[in-house]
Amino acid sequence: MDAFYASVEQRDDPALRGRPVVVAWKGARSVVCAASYEARTFGIRSAMPAVRAERLCPEALFVPPNFTRYRAVARQVRAIFRAHTPLVEPLSLDEAYLDVTDHLGRFPSATAVAVAIRARIRDELQLTASAGVAPNKFLAKIASDVNKPDGLCVVKPKDIDAFLLPLPVARLPGVGKVMNDRLAALGVRTVAELRRLDAGALDARFGRWGRRLSALAHGIDDHPVNPDRPRRSISAEDTFAEDLPQHQLAPHIQRMAEKTWAAAETHGWRGRTVVLKLKTADFRILTRSITPASPPTCADDLRRLALGLLARVGPPADTRYRLVGVGLEGRLAPAEAAPGRQASLFLAAAE
Amino acid sequence: MKITTNRNDLLAALNQVIGVVERRQTLPILSNLLAEVHEAELKLTGTDLEIEMETSIDVQNLEPGKTTLPARKLFDLCRGLPESAAIELNVSGDRATLRSGRSRYTLACLSADDFSSLDTGELSQQIELPASELLKLIQRTQFAMAQQDVRFYLNGMLLQLRPGTLNVVTTDGHRLALARYEMPDEPSSDQSADLIIPRKAILELARLLGQVDGNVVLHFSQGQIRVQVDRLRLTSKLIDGRFPEYERVIPQHSDKHLVLDRERLRQALARCSIFSNDKFKGVRLTLGNGTLTLQSNNPEHEEAEEVLDVDYQGEALEIGFNVVYLLDALTTMPGQNITLSLRNADSSGLMTTSEEPTLRYVVMPMRL
């Protein structure tokens, strides 16, 4: 979906149409959730501090996010996807992979399916979506970004090299800033240059990930579209109104632990590893994790474990923090999550 | 600061304090040792903010001073130097230069002012007992300490001091170990205190006690404990929490008592453990007239069955345990025979031995 949250706002409020719209809470610390294409011409991007967005475009219209409404629209979008194929793998609220290989229905090609889906989204929801059509997931994802907004990009098997080779390596999934720098150190900037590297050398340098990188450089990706990809983690985080010293973090960690536990409960999800995430005032991210012998079984366990991790963060005492998050990882199978196999010496009341 | 010494002396000192320095550090200075030269002595201190280890060696003092040195690097370097190599250590600003023969190494120092020592304050109470006895108490019980448990007070060992006795208790909530030392009749033994010593301090303490002949003195206060052996001093924070009332979970009403050859039972259980579920490690004990049958199986439907003869006539019983808990206790217990006391499938099992009648191992059952 193109500028999803901003587009939903513009659709529902005619006064916002054709104008720079920024979806963000008002506040010194808030971050842009979405920016309309009009706002993007001013250089505003999502995840940018709202203050900076305001400076870039003082006349932008700021709208507080309404996630309940976005989720409802996302459900409508997914219903349209599912009308075409059961193989829908959501990537985020407004993005998904669809495998239509065996589900073309009355359409002659995958491209025709993409055209039909985009038309339905436009007609039924008055929103625009961009699509990439390709023989595999990673090419489709890159292609979907090519003609944004309201665009369609088709990469046929015979056109893969022409499409892929000129791209900068940073466009490949998994190549972030660090990897990009490491590749640049090897003189690799484009996919073509990456392909020229010896697969063995990539393997030796980056291991399993090197082999994957080498496959991507050749346009190969056999990850299937997985409609029920299991959730890997559950977490909650919050940015404070002002930076806080370490000794004031405890109540916020407790709050996030409770939120995370509530979310885990809703999904019937249990994890074995507890992760505490902190972001310092200068945007360094610290994480501490613990995998206790007996996984947390209640909100109080999670709270205590997360607070215990805080003690492991250590000084310097003058460090200030702008964000805390508490997460659960390492899904437990229901049988392991079920307590009571091993009896306890002490009843909860005695502790 | 400038000293000369030799590799063996320095390595011996480093060896005593290095254990407390964590390999992975969030705070750079915690990877360093505090080094202080005063008169003819080099004092080395390591800490993880919970435990502090301090030792000293005689050196030739060419210039007093203090700094902090990277512990692991210095240790690895000394280990790698030839035995009895002469060493000159010269600290100037934030650089330490170590010379030995024709070799020269430069290490980065951090200021001694940034090193945080545990504030020992006044440690007003003390107990004294033979080091070998304290070591035995630790060895008998340390395996049952919890590790990284949310109930932080279980991640350590309880030293329960009562007039005339010292009880040492560990539990991870599923099993419990209790060992007791009867104190000789002395005025100083007439005191009461409950100290929970953190897991890591116990491991260091055990290492230290192995080197002591004769008595050891534990100095303690509300929040700290300290042991000094020759020139080595261990100080640890105590865990600030209430240990569970362990007496209540030691079974009193077991009516089925099995006397078993400790080593035979241990070996049979060890074989069964190969076939138990990797996660739950369950083993089923079936008690019948004259026999005790051990069984285990795993999700691949592989099985083990062992039958031991026992002198038992009475009600049959089937009960499950985590085989690791049984093995830990059996490996630790002294003596030829042990007594396993049971009541029913939901009640804990108790293991004792006539060799040390005050020793108690309690294991909660597992539903299989």
Side-chain angles (χ1 to χ4, degrees), chain A residues 288 305 336 340-341 345 351, chain B residues 26 150-151 173 279 365 367:
Chain A
R288 295 288 178 273
L305 286 162
E336 294 176 82
R341 287 186 70 104
L345 278 166
E351 291 174 13
Chain B
T26 45
V150 274
R151 295 160 293 183
K279 284 222 174 67
R367 248 176 288 137

Side-chain angles (χ1 to χ4, degrees), chain A residues 31-177:
Chain A
V31 167
V32 174
C33 298
S36 72
Y37 280 88
E38 296 84 352
R40 293 187 193 189
T41 58
F42 292 90
I44 298 174
R45 296 283 178 271
S46 35
M48 170 184 284
V51 186
R52 181 140 167 254
E54 209 169 352
R55 220 177 311 124
L56 287 169
C57 177
E59 60 271 31
L61 300 165
F62 279 74
V63 184
N66 181 339
F67 289 107
T68 317
R69 198 144 49 90
Y70 308 147
R71 267 196 292 274
V73 180
R75 267 198 297 278
Q76 294 175 309
V77 175
R78 269 180 214 165
I80 295 176
F81 294 161
R82 292 212 174 92
H84 287 269
T85 171
L87 299 177
V88 177
E89 178 182 330
L91 198 60
S92 65
L93 205 53
D94 67 327
E95 278 180 298
Y97 292 115
L98 281 69
D99 183 345
V100 295
T101 316
D102 299 322
H103 302 277
L104 292 176
R106 61 195 161 86
F107 296 99
S109 65
T111 309
V113 176
V115 170
I117 289 176
R118 293 182 56 236
R120 270 188 75 178
I121 291 174
R122 188 167 42 242
D123 296 346
E124 293 176 21
L125 306 176
Q126 290 83 48
L127 291 168
T128 64
S130 298
V133 180
N136 62 44
K137 276 165 73 172
F138 102 92
L139 288 171
K141 164 87 171 137
I142 298 176
S144 71
D145 285 332
V146 170
N147 293 325
K148 260 178 176 276
D150 200 12
L152 174 66
C153 174
V154 180
V155 181
K156 293 185 176 164
K158 67 177 169 57
D159 302 331
I160 290 177
D161 283 359
F163 174 76
L164 189 61
L165 292 178
L167 292 176
V169 282
R171 293 291 289 274
L172 297 178
V175 179
K177 196 181 167 315

Side-chain angles (χ1 to χ4, degrees), chain B residues 200-218:
Chain B
K200 191 171 162 193
I202 288 297
L203 303 181
E204 288 297 330
L205 183 58
R207 214 159 79 99
L208 186 153
L209 290 171
Q211 307 157 16
V212 184
D213 301 320
N215 279 5
V216 64
V217 184
L218 304 180

Side-chain angles (χ1 to χ4, degrees), chain B residues 216-273:
Chain B
V216 64
V217 184
L218 304 180
H219 298 266
F220 60 93
S221 66
Q222 199 76 44
Q224 286 188 341
I225 185 160
R226 192 176 68 211
V227 186
Q228 174 106 35
V229 171
D230 300 326
R231 297 171 82 166
L232 178 61
R233 192 173 85 172
L234 180 156
T235 310
S236 172
K237 286 185 185 170
L238 293 170
I239 294 177
D240 182 18
R242 215 166 60 88
F243 204 82
E245 289 176 42
Y246 70 89
E247 296 94 337
R248 294 206 329 219
V249 303
I250 295 174
Q252 310 286 337
H253 305 290
S254 310
D255 52 6
K256 304 171 180 65
H257 304 280
L258 315 174
V259 178
L260 294 150
D261 183 284
R262 182 175 65 87
E263 190 53 24
R264 276 182 56 200
L265 176 61
R266 192 192 66 76
Q267 286 176 4
L269 285 169
R271 288 188 295 264
C272 284
S273 74

